[in-house]
Each structure stands twice: as structure tokens, then as C-alpha cells.
Amino acid sequence: SIGGVGPQTFHQHITNNRKDDRNIKTMNFSSLSLWVAFLLVGVFTENGSAFVVQPPSIVTRHSTSSPTVATSTTTLCGLLDGMGDFIKRFTTKATASHILIRGGAEAAHKLQDLKAQIGDSPVQFAEAAAQYSECPSASSGGSLGEFGPGAMVKEFDAVVFNEPVGQVHGPIQTQFGYHLIYISERTE
């Protein structure tokens, strides 16, 4: 339950504090804030069973006193995954550096050569970034600082938030060119 309120209590509270199921404007502030909390969280338990609440506009009724509550494992898992992804965006952070070379296949080949020279050394990576990168971050050894998911283009994020830390990855192609990426730290 959320704040000690389960599905039946929630439905009873909403029913007792509104005039019309379809008109959320008639709900008092207490009912509205409770409804918003349930919409944001979407999942609550009562007596150890998990439930997913549907908004009033799509709630189907078996009778006038109880809404249909979806208990599908698939629905619940999908909602929980979505909530987990949403929370992860605010809690997951990474610190990374990159070397950007603009161009086509020749840029990718140059980065392959650099990667072989650098190995997984953060010092050698920073030196190579300062010398070869075409990004303004070259002046700081390619450092991009700390950032969360969604701050970079999707190809970059896919590497930074999924690949091992402490290694050089790439070349990775993005709309900006080809990159070598060194992930120095990641928190989840």
C-alpha cells in the first residue's frame, strides 16, 4: 500500500469525494492529490498482492462500486521496468572522455590505430585526445565530465552506460564523426 492506502480504500476515497467519474475537476484537493500520487507510482500492494491501477477514463467496471484492476504479470513487469528506467535516468551517472575524429572510413582507421597504441591507459588516452581529437574537450584530455543517460547521443550513451568501465571502446560512429570512448567511472 502507499501511505496505508490500498486499491479498495483508494477507490472508496475517490468515489466518496467526487460527483462524477468522468470529471476530475469535481474531486476535492485531497482526492486529486491522492489520485496524482497513484498515477505517478501506478503500482501498489494490498495484502501482499501487486496491482496496477488504470486512470478513471479507462477503468472498466464490473459493478458501480469496484474498478477493474489489472493484475497481469506482464503489465506489472512492464510498468516496473518503465519506472526503473525513469528512476535510473536520475541516479545513474558516468564520467567519460572521448577522442572525436570527423570523417568516414579514414577516421575510423585512424582511431583503430590510436586504440592499439593507447591500450586501456587513461593517461595515454588523455594525451592522444589532446593531440588528435577534433572536439573542444581535447584541451582537457577529452574529458566530458559526469553526465547521465540521455545527455549524449544514443550511440554514445549505449557504450557509456552498458560497456565495461576502465576500458577504451570504439570506434563508435555518431552524427559528429567517429569516437574512441574511455569510461572512467559509472554509478548506478
Side-chain angles (χ1 to χ4, degrees), residues 99 101 107-116 171 178-180:
I99 299 171
I101 298 181
H109 292 305
K110 176 64 176 169
L111 288 173
Q112 283 287 15
D113 293 342
L114 283 174
K115 184 177 180 179
Y178 285 86
H179 307 258
L180 286 183

Side-chain angles (χ1 to χ4, degrees), residues 97-99 114 117-118 121-133 137-143 182:
S97 301
H98 78 132
I99 299 171
L114 283 174
Q117 293 171 17
I118 295 167
S121 167
V123 172
Q124 289 181 358
F125 189 93
E127 289 170 356
Q131 186 174 355
Y132 298 105
S133 185
S137 67
S139 63
S140 60
S143 176
Y182 181 82

Side-chain angles (χ1 to χ4, degrees), residues 11-99:
H11 175 69
Q12 186 175 41
H13 180 78
I14 295 299
T15 303
N16 292 340
N17 289 289
R18 66 181 161 168
K19 297 175 185 165
D20 181 358
D21 279 353
R22 293 160 297 191
N23 189 354
I24 200 166
K25 292 177 186 175
T26 63
M27 297 168 64
N28 68 30
F29 181 76
S30 173
S31 297
L32 181 59
S33 59
L34 182 61
W35 180 239
V36 169
F38 276 101
L39 281 176
L40 290 175
V41 175
V43 175
F44 53 92
T45 60
E46 184 168 281
N47 300 326
S49 301
F51 295 92
V52 177
V53 177
Q54 300 173 2
S57 60
I58 60 171
V59 169
T60 56
R61 297 184 180 279
H62 293 297
S63 70
T64 57
S65 62
S66 66
T68 298
V69 178
T71 57
S72 162
T73 303
T74 304
T75 303
L76 180 60
C77 289
L79 184 59
L80 290 175
D81 287 345
M83 288 173 51
D85 291 344
F86 177 76
I87 291 168
K88 208 174 188 185
R89 290 189 70 139
F90 296 104
T91 60
T92 302
K93 300 288 182 198
T95 303
S97 301
H98 78 132
I99 299 171

Side-chain angles (χ1 to χ4, degrees), residues 150-160 162 172-175:
M152 304 293 175
V153 293
K154 66 180 180 173
E155 300 89 352
F156 205 94
D157 265 11
V159 171
V160 172
N162 295 300
I172 306 298
Q173 184 179 16
T174 70
Q175 65 195 34

